[in-house]
Amino acid sequence: MSKANKSINVEIKDRTDQNGESISELFIGKKLIGSIKQLSETKFQAVNTHDEAFYVKTFDEGVTQLIKDFHLHH
């Protein structure tokens, strides 16, 4: 018997760090699952809550990677 798919709400909040760079933080509910920072035109850094960094080509790919990592370790 399979489980029904549940939709999840991912909230993205933008903030600036102490260097003035823009960082997007991802939340599922009230829980922070990671952050994404643009390094160049075609390179983004996604960092999960365990400080593991993933380098991806697009913002959407970073969001997907953080959600996958969250569900793998949750």
Side-chain angles (χ1 to χ4, degrees):
M1 187 158 173
S2 65
K3 293 183 178 180
N5 289 337
K6 293 182 182 178
S7 64
I8 58 170
N9 293 325
V10 177
E11 186 176 346
I12 301 172
K13 295 182 181 179
D14 293 326
R15 69 171 181 89
T16 54
D17 65 1
Q18 60 271 18
N19 298 331
E21 297 177 354
S22 178
I23 295 178
S24 298
E25 294 180 325
L26 277 71
F27 293 86
I28 293 181
K30 293 183 180 181
K31 185 172 178 108
L32 176 69
I33 65 167
S35 60
I36 301 174
K37 179 167 63 171
Q38 186 170 2
L39 302 176
S40 68
E41 187 70 28
T42 59
K43 190 171 186 181
F44 292 81
Q45 179 186 33
V47 180
N48 66 11
T49 55
H50 304 291
D51 290 328
E52 297 172 325
F54 304 97
Y55 295 95
V56 293
K57 295 180 182 178
T58 66
F59 183 84
D60 290 340
E61 189 178 343
V63 171
T64 302
Q65 182 64 42
L66 288 175
I67 293 171
K68 283 181 185 178
D69 186 67
F70 173 76
H71 283 294
L72 179 65
H73 297 291
H74 182 63

